[in-house]
Amino acid sequence: MAEMNKETLIEMYKRMNHARFFEEKVSWFFARGMIHGTTHLSVGQEASAVAACMALNDDDLITSTHRGHSQVIGKGIDLNKMMAELLGKITGYCKGKGGSMHIADLSVGNLGANGVVGGGHSLACGAALTQQYQDTGKIVLCFFGDGASNEGSFHEALNLASVWKLPVIFYCENNLYGMSVPQSASMNIKDVAVRADSYGIPGHTIDGNNAIEVFNKIKEVAAYVREGNGPVLVESKTYRWLGHSKSDAQAYRTKEEVESWKEKDPINYLYNYMVTNDMAEKEELDELKKTCKQDIEDAVAFANVSDNPPLSSVTEDVYA
Amino acid sequence: MEYKEMTYKDAVNLAMTEEMRKDENVILFGEDVGLYGGAFGVSVGMFEEFGPERVKDTPISEAVIAGCAAGAAVTGLRPIAEIMFMDFTTIAMDALVNQAAKMRYMFGGKAQVPMVLRTPGGSGTGAAAQHSQSLEAWFCHVPGLKVVVPGTPADAKGLLKAAIRDNNPVVFVEQKTLYKEKGEVPMDDEFVIPLGKGEIKREGSDVTVISYGRMLPRVLEAADDLKKEGISVEVVDPRTLVPLDKEMIIDSVKKTGKLILVNEACKTGGFLGEISAMVSESEAFDYLDAPIVRLAGLDVPVPYNPELEAAIVPSVDQIRQAIVDVVTNKR
Ligand SMILES: Cc1ncc(C[n+]2csc(CCOP(=O)(O)OP(=O)(O)O)c2C)c(N)n1
Ligand SMILES: [Mg+2]
């Protein structure tokens, strides 16, 4: 498991920047109609997703969501294959068949983004059952949103995991809205974490824009879960800076609210933390940021020279 | 009758708005249908007109959306529930299949469940396997549910009004890729198309092509092209799958002696097989001079890549070719 040291924080900073630049690029492609379909960007939520993944062991598992770019980059991913997937290329993670909402890399324990809100809750239980049954020592981190916690699958999964003592961290990225609906209109509580009480499991609420807090809390609960104590619910409060998806006029929130959250930029926070605590020089971090930006350009170049999947592939991979 | 040109989406909106003005027991609820106006903008303006008591945002909870509609319907409201994508009706299945569809029968005819479940189906938007399915056949298999799939703005309006006034649960399948298509729509607020009444969209004598929903405009395009080449295609749109206008289909097949069926949904277990079997069992069978041809979606999940996505559903070219082949006895 990664320790909270300079090396880890530098890697975290790098992945957060990768996520930010990746999504800025994706947004640029969409604005020009160069990517098909829709996408859900997590700009502003990078600490919440990346730091949580980095507190896991490399071989632990995650289930990701429709807003999953930062999550899967946090788990560790080949940016080239990810960009190629968004551009629908054969070299992409899903051979161009999945797109943004289905990025999966089972080889690093990423069980896939999910187009179905709440779709990951029960899959995480199953993945955790395998770990428990085979005594692998691995755990599962299940990403979901505040809105997803209102799906019936949330209740069924937390209940099952609690009685079977499954090794799952249910990790709610609460960005205060489910599409256009504010949390206050979709649930009668302020903190999703209090729902843990009804399953008799621990619940924690943390500042999801503070990478250090996220890392430390997930590290702590991962140890608890790994010891066989059953699941934990962690709620990470954060905010998405951009619209819900490609088309969103955002009439349901104010510009002031968005601006106030931009002041809590998680990437700047980590930058300042490292500089203030003498863990890195400004120059080093600035240089790293530039490299990250270039990595995304390289990923685009890789995707651009990749082929589209052949038409014959359309009937492949339906069955094993 | 006064007509106005409008989009399919606006026609759906108009049907709901007119019915809500007439009957205060009609309400709309679903995810983001309020201020946001629905994921596809179908209910834009309705929250402003009817307020939060009658146009209600729900939590992201499909099971309770459908179940709440059924419960409200059996106790006197006439709810319209929206499920954002047809794919997510799978989460609402218990309420629809085991509850809404069965109450009347199970209770010996004592209950009625006048609800409409509106949901958009179909691919073509780049949203991949979990946001693109055409699952109408699932619902057709459940006695007690009615199933409607409008293919034009006017039909969308007239059929939705009928669905809202119907005393049974109706699954109203809208077509994402038709939402922005325009057509002439009757403005009369008593324009209602009875469920179970198909329409001959083009009269013809050489072959009958039956289609509905998103594939209908493609079939019409192929038919219009072929007319110039002297092939006379009769295009029949059943509009409602349950109840099905069997008479119109049988009469058309008796007239032309040839039958092609076109839809977007996967072929295996799809509704085209049902129409084909119905025709084979009917008196029209003796009139057939060629095997019945089905053009349907490939039996694969919907892929993301745009070229692959386009390739899995029948194209205008494929439809045209199939018609030529059948008419010239190549099949
Ligand atoms: C079962 C299901 N219902 C509805 C949707 C449409 N949808 C996609 S994302 C979303 C909002 C999800 O909110 P939340 O869980 O808070 O995640 P966030 O988008 O805020 O990251 C909705 C309603 C869906 N994809 N799946
Ligand atoms: Mg949310």
Side-chain angles (χ1 to χ4, degrees):
Chain A
M1 187 187 308
E3 290 307 313
M4 172 67 90
N5 55 25
K6 173 173 176 176
E7 198 191 333
T8 304
L9 290 187
I10 289 279
E11 184 61 27
M12 200 184 279
Y13 186 73
K14 187 170 148 193
R15 292 185 189 184
M16 283 166 65
N17 274 289
H18 275 152
R20 177 74 55 91
F21 289 127
F22 182 90
E23 293 202 317
E24 283 176 355
K25 187 50 99 181
V26 169
S27 171
W28 185 90
F29 277 130
F30 265 105
R32 281 157 192 77
M34 291 162 75
I35 300 188
H36 182 53
T38 191
T39 192
H40 307 86
L41 302 177
S42 57
V43 174
Q45 304 187 190
E46 294 89 351
S48 166
V50 172
C53 286
M54 289 199 61
L56 302 174
N57 289 347
D58 282 346
D59 60 357
D60 284 336
L61 299 105
I62 64 164
T63 60
S64 171
T65 69
H66 61 286
R67 200 174 302 289
H69 300 149
S70 295
Q71 299 162 359
V72 299
I73 290 173
K75 188 72 175 89
I77 203 155
D78 180 334
L79 294 166
N80 290 359
K81 288 191 193 173
M82 187 164 159
M83 187 62 86
E85 187 56 38
L86 268 90
L87 289 165
K89 300 301 180 77
I90 184 78
T91 51
Y93 266 110
C94 315
K95 300 182 190 163
K97 283 178 172 164
S100 163
M101 269 190 290
H102 303 293
I103 304 283
D105 184 1
L106 277 68
S107 71
V108 299
N110 164 12
L111 300 179
N114 211 313
V116 179
V117 166
H121 298 136
S122 13
L123 296 176
C125 287
L129 177 62
T130 302
Q131 310 319 313
Q132 185 186 58
Y133 189 81
Q134 298 182 343
D135 201 12
T136 63
K138 299 180 199 172
I139 65 169
V140 183
L141 185 137
C142 169
F143 281 103
F144 59 98
D146 46 298
S149 75
N150 296 322
E151 285 284 5
S153 64
F154 172 86
H155 169 68
E156 297 185 23
L158 271 79
N159 186 57
L160 180 81
S162 72
V163 291
W164 285 5
K165 293 214 179 311
L166 296 174
V168 191
I169 301 172
F170 289 101
Y171 187 66
C172 178
E173 294 192 89
N174 182 351
N175 59 11
L176 313 185
Y177 293 87
M179 207 162 145
S180 72
V181 179
Q183 185 190 343
S184 60
S186 74
M187 60 181 83
N188 206 21
I189 47 176
K190 288 214 163 54
D191 296 325
V192 173
V194 304
R195 292 187 169 175
D197 281 355
S198 41
Y199 308 102
I201 63 172
H204 307 273
T205 298
I206 57 175
D207 174 359
N209 281 21
N210 178 334
I212 309 300
E213 188 176 333
V214 172
F215 183 89
N216 286 333
K217 180 55 78 181
I218 296 300
K219 217 179 135 170
E220 172 198 318
V221 303
Y224 171 91
V225 166
R226 210 180 297 280
E227 280 164 18
N229 296 308
V232 175
L233 173 60
V234 180
E235 171 190 22
S236 151
K237 301 256 200 217
T238 183
Y239 199 80
R240 67 167 154 76
W241 291 6
L242 305 174
H244 165 73
S245 63
K246 188 176 69 173
S247 39
D248 179 0
Q250 300 181 56
Y252 51 84
R253 62 184 191 180
T254 63
K255 285 212 170 60
E256 292 71 40
E257 182 182 293
V258 179
E259 287 311 314
S260 75
W261 277 92
K262 285 189 178 170
E263 281 163 24
K264 294 182 242 179
D265 182 350
I267 297 185
N268 279 349
Y269 179 89
L270 184 57
Y271 179 97
N272 290 331
Y273 178 90
M274 293 178 78
V275 172
T276 324
N277 290 285
D278 294 324
M279 296 180 92
E281 299 291 331
K282 283 187 168 173
E283 294 69 32
E284 183 186 0
L285 295 180
D286 294 341
E287 200 49 44
L288 182 58
K289 198 185 259 295
K290 277 192 207 139
T291 325
C292 290
K293 193 165 188 188
Q294 187 55 45
D295 291 341
I296 300 302
E297 293 304 328
D298 293 348
V300 171
F302 170 85
N304 278 339
V305 300
S306 296
D307 290 329
N308 274 313
L311 277 187
S312 61
S313 73
V314 84
T315 51
E316 289 168 7
D317 295 328
V318 179
Y319 297 98
Chain B
M1 202 164 1
E2 191 200 333
Y3 285 82
K4 197 174 147 192
E5 182 175 74
M6 69 176 72
T7 60
Y8 184 102
K9 176 170 81 154
D10 288 345
V12 172
N13 180 303
L14 182 61
M16 291 193 284
T17 300
E18 285 179 2
E19 293 306 298
M20 285 179 67
R21 285 179 189 153
K22 269 187 208 290
D23 181 351
E24 63 177 21
N25 284 326
V26 180
I27 61 168
L28 169 68
F29 53 83
E31 293 160 17
D32 304 278
V33 300
L35 179 66
Y36 193 90
F40 294 93
V42 174
S43 53
V44 164
M46 292 177 61
F47 178 78
E48 286 76 2
E49 175 168 351
F50 299 105
E53 299 296 317
R54 297 187 66 196
V55 178
K56 299 168 89 67
D57 279 334
T58 63
I60 308 172
S61 310
E62 290 76 16
V64 78
I65 292 173
C68 181
V74 81
T75 49
L77 299 187
R78 305 188 80 83
I80 307 168
E82 177 178 303
I83 298 287
M84 196 183 284
F85 286 79
M86 186 169 208
D87 312 69
F88 312 145
T89 59
T90 55
I91 303 168
M93 275 299 187
D94 170 59
L96 278 170
V97 175
N98 299 323
Q99 314 298 339
K102 298 189 169 45
M103 279 192 213
R104 183 172 185 82
Y105 189 84
M106 287 190 305
F107 301 164
K110 283 195 217 83
Q112 61 183 30
V113 188
M115 62 175 277
V116 180
L117 188 118
R118 295 179 35 245
T119 191
S123 64
T125 65
Q130 295 174 335
H131 284 76
S132 305
Q133 296 169 86
S134 299
L135 301 176
E136 59 273 15
W138 288 33
F139 302 102
C140 295
H141 194 62
V142 180
L145 297 180
K146 295 188 177 181
V147 182
V148 182
V149 192
T152 69
D155 287 350
K157 181 185 173 193
L159 292 165
L160 182 52
K161 287 171 70 84
I164 295 169
R165 295 180 188 192
D166 200 281
N167 285 331
N168 298 284
V170 179
V171 178
F172 191 84
V173 185
E174 297 167 11
Q175 302 283 282
K176 268 169 253 167
T177 48
L178 296 184
Y179 272 144
K180 291 184 179 148
E181 294 297 313
K182 288 188 174 156
E184 294 292 322
V185 174
M187 294 308 286
D188 181 347
D189 69 1
E190 280 305 315
F191 169 69
V192 176
I193 300 172
L195 304 186
K197 188 93 199 68
E199 188 175 63
I200 296 181
K201 299 285 181 186
R202 293 283 187 280
E203 299 241 10
S205 53
D206 293 333
V207 57
T208 299
V209 182
I210 299 179
S211 188
Y212 61 87
R214 178 179 174 212
M215 290 296 116
L216 182 68
R218 296 189 183 191
V219 169
L220 292 173
E221 188 181 331
D224 292 343
D225 286 354
L226 290 170
K227 191 171 183 180
K228 293 172 208 142
E229 295 174 25
I231 298 179
S232 170
V233 181
E234 177 139 303
V235 181
V236 177
D237 177 5
R239 305 192 291 199
T240 51
L241 306 184
V242 178
L244 182 66
D245 193 341
K246 296 179 183 169
E247 200 181 310
M248 179 176 283
I249 293 170
I250 290 169
D251 287 349
S252 179
V253 174
K254 279 162 73 177
K255 180 168 80 172
T256 64
K258 297 191 166 99
L259 178 59
I260 298 174
L261 304 161
V262 188
N263 80 357
E264 171 173 358
C266 298
K267 192 174 197 174
T268 302
F271 195 71
L272 300 187
E274 181 57 35
I275 301 180
S276 170
M278 185 277 289
V279 170
S280 304
E281 286 171 345
S282 78
E283 71 215 60
F285 181 72
D286 289 334
Y287 293 75
L288 283 171
D289 357 293
I292 298 171
V293 173
R294 284 182 292 162
L295 291 183
L298 298 185
D299 288 326
V300 301
V302 176
Y304 168 69
N305 174 283
E307 287 166 25
L308 298 190
E309 185 186 19
I312 66 164
V313 297
S315 65
V316 175
D317 280 345
Q318 285 167 338
I319 296 167
R320 207 188 289 117
Q321 192 58 50
I323 296 173
V324 170
D325 288 352
V326 166
V327 169
T328 56
N329 288 322
K330 286 209 193 99
R331 280 177 109 131

